[in-house]
Amino acid sequence: MAQDKRSEMDSDPLIRMEGITKRFPGVLANDSVDLSIQEGEIHALVGENGAGKTTLMKILYGIYSKDGGQIFFEDELVNIEDPKDANNLGIGMVHQHFMLVPPLSVVDNITLGSEIAHRGVLDREEGKRRIQELANDIGFEIDPEAKIEDLSVGVRQRIEILKVLFREAEVLILDEPTAVLTPQEVESLYEILNNLQEQGKTIIFITHKLNEVMDISDRVTVMRDGKEVGTKEIEDTSKKELANMMVGREVLLRVEKEEPELGEELIRAENLTVTNDEGVELVSNVSFSIREGEVFGIAGVQGNGQTELIEALTGIDKFSSGTVEVQDSDLTNVDGKRIREEGVGHIPEDRLDRGMITDFTVTENFVLGYHTFERYSNRLFMKLRNMDKHAEEAVEEFDIKTPSTKTLAESLSGGNQQKLIVARELSQQPKLLIAAQPTRGIDVGAIEFVHKRLMEERAKGKGLLLVSSELDEIVSLSDRIAVIYEGEFTGMFDADEISKEELGVYMTGSKRQDKEEVRRKALGKVTLQE
Amino acid sequence: MNSERRKELLFNVLMNGVAPLVAIMIAFAIGGIVITSLGTNPFAFFSRMFSLNFGTLRGVSQMIYRATPYFFTAMALSFAFKAGLFNIGAEGQMFIGGLALAWVGFTFTWLPFPILFVLCLIAGFLGGALWGAIPGYLKVKRGAHEVITTIMMNFIAIALVQYLVQNHFMNPNWGIPHTPTVAEGAYAPSLDKVIPWFPAGTRANIMFLVAIILAGLTLVLLDRTKLGYEIRATGLNPNSAEYAGIDISSRTVMTMAISGGFAGMATANFILGPGSHYFLKSEYGGIGFSGIAVGLLGRNNPLGIILAAVLFGFLENGALGVQLYFPNVPRQIVEIMQAIILIVLVIVLELARKFLKRLQKRG
């Protein structure tokens, strides 16, 4: 497939990887993969988790050694043994997990390892000047003396990009650059990438989000199970086609949703406020009500109080005022154990740092939070046999790919870790499920699965409180959508009356509805009158 | 999947088997060089040491006696470690626990065996637990790192027991500061009373068995109980434990208390076992700190800790006996070797880790 494309290209490719093979114990991570990169293009590398994208790029960048195949740079056979070789060829990589030293300043982080010095004396001013210049070139402001720990994730990523440019890279590899960004930050990343392209840089970017591929790239290569399944010009392909190539079968990108069958009110939350230690309101006066069989979505840019709202609802944090009632039991500021006992499940937004303990086994993670329940423990002892049995059933039912239930959760892929959390929460048959970013960072197949399961719960008459920064997800799953902005609900809509674009306007705070009306609609009075 | 398991096995063998053995061998080699430089044949020296320890059941018995307290302080380290905490305060916890158990022993003198004996052990545990819980509480309430606070608490403990013994418990006419002797009801039976074929008249006592039983109970606690599940969860990831509705503050304090409790029982071997039957501070110095080395050498695994403690007992007991035969080798040679074991172990573990990482990268 790559060959007929090449004939259309005017120039020879800048980088040609041919027959790249990489074996890890028990896994063929790359199986004779071909990839060609044209100078000056933005080339997306897509595939599900574990498809071998990152491995391929780590081979190109010299972090991994290859077991077979050849790499050509400007038509010359090159041997890239370590990242230094890659840097010498002008190849730089921005890793998914940032490699910055938080207490050090921007300039120290960027120059680290390539310090400018005269006779052993560090020239920080020169470094600062060059960094400013580079930043200006690609169109953003930066304070070189700011400490990394004070900067947002989006800015940190720009620093990583500057770090690569500082080393005079012409080819930039970005490993899932948008995984950690808010929609606004994604927009400005796009701008930066476009500016870089205008300067003639070549960009390879790894992702599994198809929207991004369509938005930004010129060409796309799809990988599946360690093999390259095809390279396409962006104009000649569609999201649908790419998704099918990634998964290897027909994928439903749209969630199938039946008409809602609303039952009784499940949760009624009124005037919820969360304040931090400094007395600042992170959530202000939020009210809502969710009924059986209903999905209540909260849309908002990350950092507008969603996390605080959910953590207080689930007993991790506390409200400073307001009331939460779940079917006549007052659950305001009770602990997480009580909340679970009342039938409220919680899929936390941070899979690794809330949702599971990676050094625990699959079974141990399967009871996390429910370990005090009678079926899993008595006063003193854990009921190990019961735990194992239930975990095994869930692994089966939710198709979690793991060697056994005694495997440590850390060796599962991200998608399977998320499935494990979803399995845990759904297996307890909650009346109400609070799901925060339930599909963040997992691949298309797993997203489809999670969405399907959530919709099944809705059909069974369960309630769902969904928080997501993915607008597609909010719009396609929710029945009603509240927009949260700076800790307040600023808009309240029926899912079929609002477009994604308009939601975006509310999410950035450019527009807001009347406070009283939002409150009335969120508490469901309008629906009840009908 | 199979290769996954093979990798895990390789990891275990390297980290838990090969690394400690290499460290021990290198320590003996360096110790041998030092001994040679003192004009003594190291082979003769070590073989004498070996026969002193293993040549007779009496030797074995003495070795066990020396090993027992290390077993307790090493368990203190390992238990905290399993819960993600570094308890460097076993030394202080040992002193406080030791004085507490001696106090019960010489105060409630009318109580019969085994009631007084058991009460003494409980007092030792509680004394150490209190001293361990304070850093736990400071961590939870004030965010003070337990490494710093446990180290500081050591100095406070040392000064406190010194003060209490000299000013409150000691008869001023005694030359050496020590407490009154504990009552007979508190005596720990010597091992020959419970194991018939053991030689009589040595100081090895049932505290060794108490330690083994406690180690077994610890395993059960961590792996099978609800409390153990919560302690491990808190140690491995406090954020996730919090999500799971676990009271991480109370679990942290409890972990430090249990850990300190183990250390608090370490001196029962000396005070309650056959011997002088009083608390003599100068006799116990360093056992808490050496427990760190024993715990690390035993790779935080109960069986490993027994072996490591026995090794330390072997060196110490051997050093005492071997002086008669090789007077020009100071007994401090074993302290040098203990230190070398620890240093080399840390290096070897790091090398093994690097090696495994390279293996992974190569695939």
Side-chain angles (χ1 to χ4, degrees), chain A residues 330-349:
Chain A
D330 182 5
L331 290 191
T332 319
N333 293 341
V334 299
D335 63 22
K337 185 177 168 227
R338 173 79 199 287
I339 286 164
R340 286 184 177 86
E341 281 165 355
E342 292 288 340
V344 179
H346 175 202
I347 299 171
E349 61 174 11

Side-chain angles (χ1 to χ4, degrees), chain A residues 416-432:
Chain A
N416 282 306
Q417 289 175 339
Q418 187 69 9
K419 276 187 185 175
L420 173 58
I421 294 172
V422 173
R424 174 180 71 214
E425 299 305 319
L426 293 187
S427 300
Q428 310 303 327
Q429 308 281 344
K431 292 187 284 205
L432 175 70

Side-chain angles (χ1 to χ4, degrees), chain A residues 291-348:
Chain A
R291 292 163 66 181
E292 289 171 343
E294 184 183 39
V295 178
F296 187 95
I298 298 179
V301 175
Q302 194 75 50
N304 274 287
Q306 304 94 315
T307 309
E308 289 77 10
L309 173 65
I310 297 244
E311 301 222 317
L313 276 174
T314 52
I316 298 171
D317 205 348
K318 285 207 169 3
F319 292 111
S320 50
S321 63
T323 54
V324 181
E325 274 176 34
V326 173
Q327 289 191 324
D328 299 328
S329 351
D330 182 5
L331 290 191
T332 319
N333 293 341
V334 299
D335 63 22
K337 185 177 168 227
R338 173 79 199 287
I339 286 164
R340 286 184 177 86
E341 281 165 355
E342 292 288 340
V344 179
H346 175 202
I347 299 171

Side-chain angles (χ1 to χ4, degrees), chain A residues 63 346 353 356 364 371 382, chain B residues 224 229-230 240 243 361:
Chain A
I63 295 177
H346 175 202
D353 212 25
M356 60 176 12
E364 283 170 331
H371 60 280
M382 302 297 290
Chain B
R224 309 208 160 237
Y229 180 92
E230 296 196 345
S240 297
Y243 155 82
K361 182 180 159 179

Side-chain angles (χ1 to χ4, degrees), chain A residues 183-347:
Chain A
Q184 274 69 17
E185 287 172 329
V186 170
E187 280 302 318
S188 44
L189 176 69
Y190 285 174
E191 244 170 72
I192 291 169
L193 294 184
N194 283 327
N195 287 339
L196 286 170
Q197 190 179 24
E198 268 169 37
Q199 290 174 25
K201 310 270 186 206
T202 307
I203 293 158
I204 308 173
F205 108 84
I206 305 177
T207 183
H208 51 234
K209 293 186 188 160
L210 295 172
N211 284 338
E212 293 172 0
V213 176
M214 304 309 287
D215 282 347
I216 186 91
S217 55
D218 303 313
R219 290 200 305 154
V220 50
T221 297
V222 181
M223 291 187 70
R224 186 174 74 235
D225 293 337
K227 295 194 186 71
E228 184 226 350
V229 285
T231 298
K232 298 266 174 191
E233 297 283 329
I234 261 340
E235 300 94 72
D236 305 341
T237 188
S238 66
K239 255 166 70 173
K240 180 95 187 139
E241 184 189 26
L242 292 176
N244 292 348
M245 283 166 80
M246 274 167 71
V247 182
R249 60 178 166 83
E250 281 285 305
V251 179
L252 290 170
L253 283 182
R254 284 206 60 82
V255 184
E256 285 185 16
K257 194 163 79 172
E258 292 159 28
E259 278 301 300
E261 275 182 51
L262 298 186
E264 285 172 32
E265 184 175 68
L266 268 175
I267 181 171
R268 187 175 185 81
E270 288 192 77
N271 310 324
L272 298 176
T273 298
V274 178
T275 33
N276 67 6
D277 293 341
E278 281 87 46
V280 179
E281 284 190 7
L282 302 173
V283 177
S284 325
N285 226 4
V286 162
S287 304
F288 61 90
S289 141
I290 304 174
R291 292 163 66 181
E292 289 171 343
E294 184 183 39
V295 178
F296 187 95
I298 298 179
V301 175
Q302 194 75 50
N304 274 287
Q306 304 94 315
T307 309
E308 289 77 10
L309 173 65
I310 297 244
E311 301 222 317
L313 276 174
T314 52
I316 298 171
D317 205 348
K318 285 207 169 3
F319 292 111
S320 50
S321 63
T323 54
V324 181
E325 274 176 34
V326 173
Q327 289 191 324
D328 299 328
S329 351
D330 182 5
L331 290 191
T332 319
N333 293 341
V334 299
D335 63 22
K337 185 177 168 227
R338 173 79 199 287
I339 286 164
R340 286 184 177 86
E341 281 165 355
E342 292 288 340
V344 179
H346 175 202
I347 299 171

Side-chain angles (χ1 to χ4, degrees), chain A residues 18-34:
Chain A
E18 282 183 1
I20 301 295
T21 297
K22 174 70 184 172
R23 232 176 300 266
F24 287 115
V27 199
L28 193 54
N30 282 166
D31 184 2
S32 190
V33 177
D34 296 335

Side-chain angles (χ1 to χ4, degrees), chain A residues 15-23 28 30-35 56 59-60 64-73 76-81:
Chain A
I15 297 170
R16 213 149 32 91
M17 299 179 82
E18 282 183 1
I20 301 295
T21 297
K22 174 70 184 172
R23 232 176 300 266
L28 193 54
N30 282 166
D31 184 2
S32 190
V33 177
D34 296 335
L35 177 73
L56 185 66
I59 288 170
L60 179 58
Y64 289 151
S65 56
K66 55 186 185 312
D67 296 330
Q70 293 171 318
I71 303 174
F72 296 89
F73 191 84
E76 248 173 74
L77 182 65
V78 289
N79 188 15
I80 302 175
E81 294 246 298

